[in-house]
């Protein structure tokens, strides 16, 4: 079955001055990285976020939280970008100004070749120290408990945004700059339930941008967007990127 993408969406993208893309864990599903809210395989179906993804959880049991992130780092290290990531990198090279905001911490967009990437929730491979936020790069993959900060001795934690934490100011600023006056926004592989990321799509809708969603399921945004493409990102995005590249 051929994948149908409406001509009017292709025309809007091809004619756009600025395009913003918001991605979530669904775009990495075909790379073998679990999503969060899938009822069977999702991380939050199998683990409690309050035990693993809050500053309180880390202070309570640093080794447990650290080891969970070490497991996720291993998964990410073994994963490869999929055709969905690659198609977005290609689109960035084809269109005049495409900026990508990802909620994913897996770094796969950059590995696929995307350059204008805002990592809204951080990057799981990096660390920073708990007490002063001193940046620290990747840790020894075999470390079973958090190493200490070289500068101040406080434990290192993954450089990701946990529940109850603010989005880093720089990421927030760049993300809003990208969506504030975009002509087209693509919302890909996200359940659009977690704010402020989901709010980025609302901003684009409010100022009249053309908004398309790529997701095999419906989300709270589906009824509001101009184009709801029900399908997998790894299948739809290469077709979309080919059509833009071919000018049809
Ligand atoms: P979710 O697990 O909430 O949603 C994943 C979405 O991807 C769902 O709507 C799926 O239907 C869709 N999906 C699954 N496979 C797909 C595919 N092959 N192609 C396209 N879409 C597909 O994940 P996120 O929306 O990313 O936050 O979750 C948002 C945030 O909640 C995460 O960044 C994380 C989590 O708690 C933090 O860690 C701060």
């Amino acid at each position: 079955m051929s994948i149908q993408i409406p001509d009017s969406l292709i025309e809007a993208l091809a004619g756009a001055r600025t395009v913003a893309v918001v991605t979530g864990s669904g775009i990495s599903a075909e790379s073998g990285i679990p999503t969060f809210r899938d009822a069977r395989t999702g991380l939050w179906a199998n683990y409690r976020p309050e035990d693993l993804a809050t500053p309180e959880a880390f202070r309570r049991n640093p080794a447990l939280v650290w080891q969970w992130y070490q497991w996720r780092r291993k998964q990410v290290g073994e994963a490869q970008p999929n055709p969905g990531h690659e198609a977005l990198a290609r689109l960035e090279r084809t269109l005049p100004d495409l900026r990508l905001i990802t909620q994913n911490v897996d770094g796969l967009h950059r590995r696929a070749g995307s350059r204008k990437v805002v990592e809204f929730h951080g990057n799981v491979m990096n660390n920073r120290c708990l007490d002063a936020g001193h940046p620290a790069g990747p840790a020894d993959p075999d470390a079973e408990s958090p190493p200490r900060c070289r500068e101040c001795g406080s434990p290192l934690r993954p450089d990701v945004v946990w529940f109850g934490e603010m989005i880093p100011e720089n990421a927030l600023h760049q993300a809003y700059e990208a969506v504030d006056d975009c002509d087209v926004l693509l919302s890909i592989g996200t359940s659009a339930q977690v704010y402020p990321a989901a709010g980025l799509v609302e901003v684009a809708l409010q100022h009249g941008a053309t908004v398309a969603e790529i997701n095999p399921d419906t989300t709270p945004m589906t009824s509001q967007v101009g184009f709801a493409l029900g399908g997998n990102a790894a299948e739809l995005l290469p077709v979309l990127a080919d059509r833009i590249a071919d000018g049809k």
Side-chain angles (χ1 to χ4, degrees):
M1 195 181 76
S2 72
I3 298 175
Q4 294 297 325
I5 298 177
D7 292 344
S8 46
L9 175 58
I10 298 296
E11 281 157 21
L13 272 168
R17 206 175 22 91
T18 56
V19 175
V21 180
V22 176
T23 65
S25 56
I27 194 162
S28 296
E30 272 96 356
S31 295
I33 297 177
T35 64
F36 290 92
R37 293 178 181 78
D38 184 273
R40 197 174 48 84
T41 59
L43 288 175
W44 297 152
N46 294 293
Y47 302 93
R48 283 157 37 104
E50 55 273 39
D51 291 341
L52 297 162
T54 69
E56 296 75 28
F58 187 74
R59 287 186 192 276
R60 212 168 35 238
N61 195 340
L64 174 80
V65 172
W66 180 261
Q67 283 164 23
W68 190 67
Y69 279 93
Q70 290 287 72
W71 166 71
R72 287 184 58 197
R73 286 166 169 164
K74 191 161 179 288
Q75 246 176 5
V76 165
E78 287 166 359
Q80 295 301 326
N82 68 51
H85 298 107
E86 284 157 9
L88 285 176
R90 207 143 46 90
L91 269 182
E92 181 187 312
R93 293 192 292 271
T94 315
L95 295 173
D97 184 7
L98 180 145
R99 300 184 215 177
L100 201 162
I101 302 134
T102 187
Q103 297 166 80
N104 301 344
V105 296
D106 56 31
L108 289 178
H109 285 300
R110 282 189 202 280
R111 281 175 56 197
S114 286
R115 289 290 161 258
K116 288 191 245 169
V117 182
V118 179
E119 289 180 320
F120 206 65
H121 291 161
N123 187 310
V124 75
M125 292 303 189
N126 292 332
N127 294 284
R128 65 184 143 95
C129 78
L130 182 65
D131 294 331
H134 291 129
D140 174 355
D142 296 325
E144 292 193 353
S145 58
R148 298 271 160 186
C149 175
R150 283 168 194 250
E151 291 192 52
C152 68
S154 99
L156 295 187
R157 54 160 285 180
D159 191 13
V160 298
V161 176
W162 279 332
F163 286 97
E165 293 186 318
M166 308 284 281
I167 305 298
E169 208 171 305
N170 200 23
L172 204 57
H173 175 76
Q174 287 179 25
Y176 276 97
E177 207 173 44
V179 298
D180 266 344
D181 72 339
C182 67
D183 296 324
V184 178
L185 182 140
L186 305 178
S187 174
I188 304 169
T190 176
S191 63
Q193 290 184 38
V194 174
Y195 283 78
L200 297 169
V201 181
E202 291 172 347
V203 168
L205 285 167
Q206 277 156 15
H207 72 66
T210 299
V211 178
E213 182 177 68
I214 296 182
N215 196 315
D217 287 335
T218 57
T219 78
M221 296 297 162
T222 308
S223 61
Q224 301 175 54
V225 300
F227 299 94
L229 308 185
N232 290 341
E235 288 168 27
L236 283 163
L237 285 169
V239 177
L240 192 146
D242 282 350
R243 287 191 59 192
I244 298 286
D246 295 349
K248 57 188 188 213

